[in-house]
Amino acid sequence: MSAKGLRRALFPVALARARLGSGGERLALVAVGIVAGAAAIAAVLGGRLVMQDRALAQATAALPSSDRSLTVAWFGAYGGNWRPLDRAVTKELVGLTGREPARAMLYREASVGGRFINLRGAVGLGRYVHLESGRLPKPCTPSYCEVLRLQGTGPIPSKPTIRLVEVGRATLDPDAPFGPFIQPATTGIVSAAVQYHRPQPSPVVLAEGVDGLSRTPELSSFFRSYAWFLPVRPGDVHPWSVASYTKQVDDIRAELTARSDSFEVTAPTDELAASVASSRVAARRLLLLGGEAGALLLAFTVLAASALRHDVGESRRRLLWAGARRWQVELQTFAETGTVALLGTIVGWAIGAAVAAAVANAAGSPAWPVIEHALLSTDGLVAAVLAFAASALLLYLTVRAPALQLGRVAITPLDVAAIAAVIVVAVGYARGSVNATSLAGGGTGAFVLLVPALVTFAAAVAAARLLLPTLRGLGRLGRRGPISLRLAALSLARNPGGAAVTATFLVASLGLAIFATTYRSTLVTGQRDEANYAAPAPYVVDENLAELVPVLHGWNGGTATPLIRLSGNVPSAATFTFLAMPASSLAATGGWRSDFASASLPELAKAIQPGFSTALRSAALPSGHELELPVSNAGDEIGLRAYFRSPLGDFQEVDLGQTRGGRTVVLHGRIPFAGATLSSLQFYLLNSGRAASNGQTGVQPSARGVLTVGVPRVDGTAVPGTFAGWIGVDGGIRRSGSTVRLAYSLDTDRTTTFRSPQPTDGYQLPVLVTPDVAASAGTGGTIPLDIEGENITGRIAGIIQRFPSIVGGAVIADRLTAETMLDTVSPGLGTTNELWTTSVPSPPPPTLTIASRADLLETLQADPLARGALATLGATAALALALALLGLLLGIVADRRDERGELFDLEAQGASPATIRTHLRVRALLLGAFGLLGGLVTGAILSALVLSLVEVTASSTQPEPPLRLAFDPALLAAVVLGYAVIGATLVLAATRLPGRSLERASEAVA
């Protein structure tokens, strides 16, 4: 290119530079929008990485101590020289984090001097043990070793070749990195019953140091394990370093296993990777919210830039008149707008980085790595380039596009685009809701990210179309009203271009503000609903599976609602949770919502309430210790067992013995409870039973005969009338005075039971069921329920969609009725195993597990993913509201400038300054009211659509129960009232100048 051609090409750029240098204040407001938009996008990119980092740190802290370390273990006997092994392993681990690993060793239980002992050693015991008595041991040497006793009884063995001296008793810190390695038998809770039945453990002792104990000659041939522990502390590994951490662990594993195949290296790499993957859903939704803020700010940029179209057009005409080529004029326009976009993006990116750094510091994440991996990475820089390109293109198109004309009804490209947006949203809505899985990936999840923008765009175009007929309608309605109202409506209707831009921006910004406010209220309410659903009462008390103490035996906290929770299935293979609770308490169930069923809770409670008072009938026994039962049989020998029921409702099975070849024998059984009642007698097969065909499955054992049962005795005292009215189940019965003769027929599928008749015999249990369970119902709503292997006939009394505390299929029944039916078919199956209560004693019962609704809600609210989503929604709402107010102010300024000729005419025709001010204020207030009304409608549509599509909670998990649109009336009223008050204040302040000063002020602003 020649020098002349180069000067021609560079002239437009130089002219743009000169214009920006001399009159750049005209573009300052435009630059503010770009700066804010870029800053919002950058802050969201940094904030989502901080959120993922905090979620990873929280997940790391929640890992069991046994899984929260990089562990290197060596196993062997001869050749286990500690010092070279320690040097090799320590070198690798220190190179990973710069920290020294914790070191420990153990010998398998072995006999020393004729006594069994468990020898362990660890470095730096003072940091990891709590002394109960004595003192800390000195470093162990091969000839003299002081130890702490951790558990076990009996003397510590000692001999000349290995002098072991106990200097104290201690317990390990629960967070000791080598805790599970040193003391695996004592981790967790061991019930008293288990401790009672196991033999007394041999002593477990712990020495200071590893080297001295490992070189003891007496132990040279003993199998030992060495281990090095490098705890992974919260914040040690970050989302951006999980892959590199995994690679380093793999390298250490390869290096050490190449030295010896006795090495084993483990680390929580899979758990860390899974935590990062689970946080991606929330990260994507945070991008959705940040993208809304960025799009809103770009819309603000368009609004501000639209005011420059007239000046840019005048400048272009002057350049063309002066002889400039058209391509030079276009290049100058693009250079001017592109420079503003570039500088605005750079400044905004820097501000966003500062915000991200501040958020990282406040949250406890490293600031610079967050900026580096969120904003200066390839993805971050691509986002910055896209933000610059979008803002530059929008600026250029805005200043080059002709003014918006809505005077004639015609289909414009904007109308077509809006219709297309509506169609896209409708098709996506028809495809169904989006859950956490789809949101984590592409496809439908990517579509959801665009829904707010598509709806807002369609609403803005619709608002632009509705503005003109609305203004004309106001003009007609106001013919008899104030002249200022008619004048304002008519002037806006005659030249609606600038007003349409302002009105559509107000609709978009206020719509997003109301959507963000409502969505945040919905998520906050969803957290409360989730906590209430998971814990229908303030406290839920369950059996501690480590203790195996029945709930009612371990409970000492006063009044509570007893429940039975079991699992089952129906013939359609649908599984369900069976929950039996007092029908009288059903109406007070926490976590219930009206959308769970078409009927109310009191109506449902009445539906499952039995028509009779029922309680399990059993024979009362006098106080005593032993039951004696005289029996004789004619036929095959069988065994008998008795079921005793305690005053608290649980059962104990007691084997009474077996019949003896037709002879009368007295069977004996210990009565397990004080105040026990005899619930039933059950006959069972003995190994000596005869063989018979059974259900075409081959030869199976069976027994048949007649059993004669005499009067039972308790501690030798006869108890006549014990079996009065009792019936035989799967067996015939005949009485003769106090003697009962009972026919029996037993096989592997059938037993004979002797028990009291129950009010529920032949009764169908009224139940509330979910639709998947109801699909198995027969005629009249009868449904067979398999509950823990026992068959119960139910009758559907109502359909529910779900029930608090149950995820999936549910069957709800009255507790007392269900308890009687269950204990009849299988004694003990109907025992209360859960309590709902409003308070717990202090301290809580150690043998039970207690879940607190308040603790659950606190956990949900403390989740970093949830906090990040709610904070972003709050910031988005505040930003959108602020931009709406600023847009209203810009509309007033543009109105004064663009209408200065008309205002001058009004003043020349005798209009007073007060009339002109009122005219301007009414125009602004009309636009503000139109924007508010359109924003309310847009926000409602957005809230309903996004909620129905995005079925994830604040922490981006699948909601249970489903989210329900929740409005916070006070907050929405505050938003609307704040917009109205501040907007009115801005209108009054911007129109205070009297007379011709209005014109001069407009020219100065322009």
Side-chain angles (χ1 to χ4, degrees):
M1 180 183 294
S2 64
K4 184 177 180 180
L6 183 61
R7 285 196 303 271
R8 287 180 176 177
L10 293 179
F11 171 75
V13 177
L15 180 59
R17 177 182 176 184
R19 281 174 54 83
L20 290 173
S22 61
E25 65 277 2
R26 295 175 305 167
L27 293 173
L29 194 59
V30 177
V32 168
I34 299 174
V35 169
I41 296 172
V44 167
L45 290 176
R48 73 161 185 159
L49 192 57
V50 172
M51 182 184 66
Q52 288 183 283
D53 186 45
R54 291 300 88 203
L56 179 60
Q58 190 177 74
T60 302
L63 289 174
S65 57
S66 57
D67 298 333
R68 204 167 55 240
S69 294
L70 167 57
T71 303
V72 178
W74 183 94
F75 308 91
Y78 291 108
N81 192 335
W82 164 256
R83 291 180 178 178
L85 291 175
D86 183 52
R87 284 195 297 269
V89 174
T90 301
K91 177 184 176 182
E92 297 291 339
L93 297 186
V94 171
L96 180 63
T97 63
R99 300 198 312 268
E100 288 280 338
R103 302 169 175 86
M105 65 91 66
L106 63 83
Y107 290 100
R108 285 183 177 174
E109 185 179 49
S111 176
V112 176
R115 297 180 183 277
F116 283 99
I117 192 170
N118 294 274
L119 283 170
R120 281 94 167 92
V123 178
L125 292 185
R127 294 178 292 170
Y128 305 118
V129 299
H130 297 287
L131 283 175
E132 294 179 344
S133 63
R135 61 174 175 83
L136 291 173
K138 297 178 181 178
C140 180
T141 66
S143 59
Y144 178 80
C145 196
E146 297 180 347
V147 296
L148 292 172
R149 186 191 295 263
L150 297 181
Q151 73 175 72
T153 59
I156 303 296
S158 184
K159 53 190 299 190
T161 54
I162 177 171
R163 293 189 61 197
L164 299 176
V165 179
E166 182 178 345
V167 297
R169 297 185 67 93
T171 58
L172 276 178
D173 188 318
D175 293 328
F178 48 73
F181 175 79
I182 291 292
Q183 201 175 15
T186 60
T187 55
I189 301 175
V190 181
S191 69
V194 174
Q195 291 179 345
Y196 177 80
H197 291 290
R198 69 163 42 158
Q200 293 298 311
S202 54
V204 177
V205 297
L206 184 58
E208 171 62 56
V210 174
D211 182 54
L213 190 61
S214 70
R215 291 187 291 111
T216 302
E218 178 74 18
L219 308 174
S220 61
S221 62
F222 285 26
F223 189 93
R224 81 283 307 273
S225 300
Y226 299 138
W228 296 259
F229 304 88
L230 195 60
V232 181
R233 300 176 302 192
D236 279 355
V237 183
H238 304 281
W240 56 85
S241 62
V242 168
S244 62
Y245 177 79
T246 302
K247 177 64 167 56
Q248 289 174 302
V249 171
D250 291 340
D251 292 343
I252 291 174
R253 182 181 291 112
E255 179 67 25
L256 294 178
T257 53
R259 291 173 176 266
S260 170
D261 58 5
S262 296
F263 277 114
E264 181 180 281
V265 180
T266 58
T269 52
D270 291 341
E271 291 84 351
L272 297 176
S275 175
V276 172
S278 67
S279 67
R280 287 176 185 156
V281 174
R284 285 181 64 83
R285 185 170 61 184
L286 200 61
L287 284 179
L288 179 153
L289 304 175
E292 293 171 15
L296 184 61
L297 288 163
L298 288 177
F300 173 78
T301 301
V302 172
L303 173 66
S306 63
L308 301 175
R309 283 196 298 261
H310 177 74
D311 294 336
V312 171
E314 290 295 328
S315 174
R316 290 169 59 83
R317 283 191 292 271
R318 286 195 297 268
L319 288 174
L320 291 172
W321 181 80
R325 304 285 182 88
R326 185 167 293 278
W327 65 267
Q328 290 177 312
V329 174
E330 297 295 342
L331 180 59
Q332 182 270 332
T333 304
F334 187 78
E336 189 171 340
T337 55
T339 301
V340 173
L342 178 61
L343 294 177
T345 302
I346 293 173
V347 174
W349 215 248
I351 293 175
V355 172
V359 171
N361 284 327
S365 296
W368 174 249
V370 167
I371 295 173
E372 181 181 7
H373 291 89
L375 305 182
L376 301 181
S377 62
T378 301
D379 291 343
L381 293 177
V382 167
V385 171
L386 291 176
F388 155 69
S391 57
L393 183 60
L394 283 174
L395 275 179
Y396 176 74
L397 294 177
T398 301
V399 299
R400 284 286 291 116
L404 184 62
Q405 297 295 334
L406 299 174
R408 295 180 179 179
V409 177
I411 300 298
T412 67
L414 283 178
D415 298 323
V416 175
I419 294 172
V422 172
I423 293 174
V424 170
V425 173
V427 171
Y429 186 82
R431 291 179 59 185
S433 299
V434 178
N435 54 28
T437 302
S438 58
L439 188 58
T444 307
F447 157 75
V448 173
L449 302 181
L450 298 175
V451 168
L454 293 173
V455 173
T456 304
F457 171 72
V461 174
R465 276 294 181 188
L466 291 173
L467 178 64
L468 186 57
T470 301
L471 293 173
R472 288 174 176 170
L474 282 176
R476 296 189 187 98
L477 292 174
R479 287 176 180 175
R480 297 182 181 180
I483 189 173
S484 56
L485 176 61
R486 285 184 290 161
L487 186 62
L490 288 174
S491 62
L492 288 172
R494 288 175 179 175
N495 187 18
V501 174
T502 302
T504 53
F505 178 76
L506 290 176
V507 168
S509 57
L510 286 171
L512 285 176
I514 292 170
F515 159 68
T517 302
T518 304
Y519 195 18
R520 188 182 188 281
S521 299
T522 297
L523 294 180
V524 170
T525 303
Q527 287 180 328
R528 292 196 295 268
D529 286 350
E530 186 176 356
N532 293 338
Y533 189 88
Y539 297 95
V540 176
V541 183
D542 291 306
E543 181 180 316
N544 187 329
L545 297 181
E547 289 289 339
L548 301 179
V549 175
V551 168
L552 292 179
H553 283 261
W555 177 246
N556 59 354
T559 304
T561 301
L563 297 97
I564 304 168
R565 186 184 295 271
L566 302 168
S567 59
N569 57 74
V570 289
S572 64
T575 60
F576 60 81
T577 296
F578 179 81
L579 187 68
M581 63 184 301
S584 58
S585 301
L586 184 64
T589 301
W592 177 266
R593 293 192 329 210
S594 59
D595 59 325
F596 291 174
S598 58
S600 66
L601 269 182
E603 293 172 335
L604 295 174
K606 185 177 180 180
I608 63 172
Q609 181 70 49
F612 52 86
S613 177
T614 177
L616 185 72
R617 297 172 182 170
S618 53
L621 296 175
S623 177
H625 299 86
E626 187 174 24
L627 174 69
E628 302 171 10
L629 187 65
V631 299
S632 64
N633 77 303
D636 299 319
E637 295 183 11
I638 57 173
L640 271 77
R641 60 174 65 98
Y643 288 94
F644 294 92
R645 188 170 188 260
S646 79
L648 291 178
D650 58 315
F651 288 78
Q652 178 69 53
E653 173 190 315
V654 176
D655 195 330
L656 300 179
Q658 65 184 64
T659 58
R660 297 292 182 183
R663 294 184 292 112
T664 298
V665 296
V666 178
L667 305 182
H668 298 267
R670 183 180 63 85
I671 299 176
F673 307 111
T677 58
L678 182 60
S679 170
S680 63
L681 297 176
Q682 190 177 82
F683 308 161
Y684 63 88
L685 284 170
L686 299 175
N687 293 331
S688 58
R690 62 179 175 174
S693 176
N694 179 26
Q696 301 181 351
T697 59
V699 177
Q700 302 289 332
S702 65
R704 293 184 178 85
V706 176
L707 181 73
T708 301
V709 181
V711 177
R713 297 189 294 268
V714 174
D715 291 348
T717 302
V719 188
T722 299
F723 302 133
W726 280 35
I727 62 174
V729 180
D730 286 335
I733 186 171
R734 187 171 59 193
R735 301 177 185 275
S736 176
S738 60
T739 300
V740 178
R741 294 172 57 83
L742 186 67
Y744 56 85
S745 178
L746 313 179
D747 55 39
T748 55
D749 296 327
R750 182 174 54 184
T751 60
T752 296
T753 301
F754 187 37
R755 62 170 176 81
S756 295
Q758 302 298 332
T760 56
D761 289 341
Y763 183 67
Q764 295 178 347
L765 180 66
V767 291
L768 309 174
V769 300
T770 48
D772 55 336
V773 178
S776 295
T779 305
T782 301
I783 184 169
L785 304 173
D786 185 320
I787 302 174
E788 301 289 353
E790 300 293 343
N791 294 319
I792 297 292
T793 301
R795 174 178 55 81
I796 296 179
I799 302 295
I800 56 176
Q801 299 303 316
R802 53 182 40 83
F803 195 82
S805 79
I806 297 175
V807 178
V811 174
I812 312 300
D814 173 64
R815 186 195 66 85
L816 198 57
T817 311
E819 176 187 18
T820 303
M821 296 184 72
L822 293 172
D823 284 338
T824 298
V825 298
S826 180
L829 186 57
T831 300
T832 294
N833 56 9
E834 186 171 311
L835 299 175
W836 291 356
T837 180
T838 57
S839 63
V840 295
S842 181
T847 58
L848 301 177
T849 299
I850 299 177
S852 166
R853 179 195 291 170
D855 290 344
L856 178 58
L857 179 59
E858 183 179 355
T859 300
L860 293 172
Q861 292 172 338
D863 184 270
L865 308 177
R867 294 174 64 185
L870 295 178
T872 305
L873 279 169
T876 301
L879 179 62
L881 184 60
L883 287 176
L885 293 169
L886 188 55
L888 182 61
L889 180 61
L890 279 178
I892 300 171
V893 172
D895 201 12
R896 286 167 44 178
R897 183 203 60 207
D898 296 340
E899 301 291 328
R900 56 179 176 260
E902 288 78 0
L903 296 177
F904 180 78
D905 289 341
L906 286 174
E907 190 174 11
Q909 294 172 19
S912 65
T915 302
I916 296 176
R917 281 197 300 270
T918 302
H919 168 68
L920 289 173
R921 289 170 180 174
V922 172
R923 284 171 60 101
L925 291 176
L926 284 176
L927 290 179
F930 181 85
L932 178 59
L933 181 61
L936 287 170
V937 175
T938 303
I941 295 173
L942 271 175
S943 300
L945 278 177
V946 172
L947 179 64
S948 62
L949 285 172
V950 186
E951 291 186 348
V952 289
T953 63
S955 54
S956 295
T957 58
Q958 202 67 23
E960 191 62 52
L963 290 177
R964 185 168 62 170
L965 189 62
F967 295 97
D968 186 337
L971 185 58
L972 282 176
V975 170
V976 174
L977 185 62
Y979 167 76
V981 172
I982 299 175
T985 303
L986 290 175
V987 170
L988 293 175
T991 56
R992 286 179 59 189
L993 297 178
R996 296 184 181 276
S997 56
L998 287 171
E999 180 183 348
R1000 292 192 294 272
S1002 299
E1003 293 174 351
V1005 171

